[in-house]
Amino acid sequence: MAPAVIYGSQPDEAPLLLNKAGLKADAPASNGTYDVKEDYAGDYRFAPIEEAQVSRAMIKRYFSTMYERAVSDVVIIGAGSAGLSCAYHLAKSRPDLKITIIEANVAPGGGAWLGGQLMTPMVVRKPAERFLDELGVPYEDEGAFVVVKHAALFTSTILARVLAFPNVVLMNATAVEDLIVRPDPRAGNENGQQRVAGVVTNWTLVALNHDTQSCMDPNVITAPVVVSATGHDGPMGAFSAKRLVSMGLLKALGNMRGLDMNRAEPAIVNGTREVAPGLIMTGMELSEHDGSNRMGPTFGAMMASGIKAAREAIRILETSQIVDGKVVA
């Protein structure tokens, strides 16, 4: 039997290049559509395109997004399991919020693409499997915990769900180089208390090459709430925790303790909070901030901590007076 041949039409975009007659080369039919053909027997035909159209399609959307998100409601630093869980719960609970995720790596997902020691299964202790149920991620029930057959199944699912929300923007290959800090109007000016009021960003490749090039200044995003989910210490891990110390807003890092799953997971979830005015910390970055244990290859605390961070963000937003992305009272 011959393979199916599907014919379709795509609407024409505004002309980019015109010929002498004022018509675009490879102009569409008079009905405003192109003749395209989905034929896998050797006659697959695409609508025509100009190379500059591709560039303009990307530039227009990306830089329009940057312009619009220069003032966001919540900025999440890090798109690992905690950051994505936070974004999901925030976007679902508050579709009115502009949620902007900044991820330093090209590939979002953090350490949640694999389980332990480069093995693929993901272990999630109960009751965090309820979040898997909500996302529709299947698993095997082992009693006190469940096992997802491949960690990438969780990460790809939540990433797709998060990006489907119209109020969420993800800027990957983008590093947070610093935090915006202002006097905290909620505390009064007499005590000099500071408030995190946004993030300082740059392309990750630029951030990694400040020592090899002349000065390459950054960009900024203002937000009344910043959620830091950068993980434990590493090349870009524990960023906000370390920056709080260097800015004098935290006396010293607690430094992550050794592995103890039974102490580590509840400590991370229950300790998720606003660690400095305007800055919520979630996930393994808290182990460096607080000096709690690591849990290794079990992921329930990352999901639950992200959800709690989202609830903390909503609480701050609902109890603050905000004007143009700034907390004023």
Side-chain angles (χ1 to χ4, degrees), residues 42-61:
D43 192 25
Y44 197 110
R45 297 200 300 268
F46 288 93
I49 197 167
E50 299 289 345
E51 285 78 6
Q53 284 181 290
V54 176
S55 295
R56 285 179 171 175
M58 294 186 295
I59 292 167
K60 178 175 68 175
R61 288 161 177 81

Side-chain angles (χ1 to χ4, degrees), residues 44 187 217 259 262-263 274 297 307 313 317:
Y44 197 110
D217 280 332
L259 193 150
N262 286 302
R263 281 189 291 174
E274 187 180 20
I307 293 171
L317 293 170

Side-chain angles (χ1 to χ4, degrees), residues 186 274 280 310-320:
R186 303 206 314 180
E274 187 180 20
I280 298 167
R311 295 184 177 189
E312 284 290 294
I314 292 171
R315 177 190 63 79
I316 295 170
L317 293 170
E318 291 180 346
T319 57
S320 302

Side-chain angles (χ1 to χ4, degrees), residues 129-171:
E129 92 288 355
R130 296 172 187 174
F131 188 53
L132 298 176
D133 293 335
E134 180 172 344
L135 295 174
V137 175
Y139 54 77
E140 297 179 53
D141 195 323
E142 294 281 355
F145 61 91
V146 302
V147 182
V148 179
K149 70 175 184 179
H150 199 302
L153 180 57
F154 163 77
T155 302
S156 59
T157 300
I158 191 171
L159 185 59
R161 296 288 296 273
V162 165
L163 291 177
F165 286 111
N167 58 327
V168 174
V169 164
L170 169 64
M171 296 179 180

Side-chain angles (χ1 to χ4, degrees), residues 73-248:
D73 293 309
V74 180
V75 169
I76 300 173
I77 312 173
S81 49
L84 290 173
S85 298
C86 177
Y88 175 87
H89 189 79
L90 261 179
K92 181 182 177 183
S93 303
R94 290 287 303 272
D96 58 307
L97 296 178
K98 293 194 298 183
I99 302 161
T100 303
I101 310 170
I102 308 296
E103 168 57 47
N105 287 307
V106 171
W113 291 108
L114 292 167
Q117 199 170 319
L118 304 184
M119 293 180 282
T120 54
M122 169 183 274
V123 175
V124 177
R125 292 167 63 193
K126 294 182 178 180
E129 92 288 355
R130 296 172 187 174
F131 188 53
L132 298 176
D133 293 335
E134 180 172 344
L135 295 174
V137 175
Y139 54 77
E140 297 179 53
D141 195 323
E142 294 281 355
F145 61 91
V146 302
V147 182
V148 179
K149 70 175 184 179
H150 199 302
L153 180 57
F154 163 77
T155 302
S156 59
T157 300
I158 191 171
L159 185 59
R161 296 288 296 273
V162 165
L163 291 177
F165 286 111
N167 58 327
V168 174
V169 164
L170 169 64
M171 296 179 180
N172 46 324
T174 304
V176 171
E177 293 190 329
D178 206 350
L179 302 173
I180 299 174
V181 178
R182 299 192 182 102
D184 188 2
R186 303 206 314 180
N189 293 328
E190 63 277 358
N191 61 4
Q193 186 169 353
Q194 301 294 296
R195 180 176 193 86
V196 174
V199 295
V200 179
T201 63
N202 218 326
W203 311 128
T204 301
L205 289 177
V206 172
L208 293 173
N209 281 279
H210 283 306
D211 293 336
T212 67
Q213 302 291 324
S214 60
C215 180
M216 297 175 284
D217 280 332
N219 193 23
V220 293
I221 300 176
T222 297
V225 177
V226 175
V227 178
S228 192
T230 66
H232 55 68
D233 196 14
M236 292 186 177
F239 170 79
S240 296
K242 290 185 284 191
R243 188 67 180 108
L244 289 177
V245 175
S246 62
M247 287 193 297

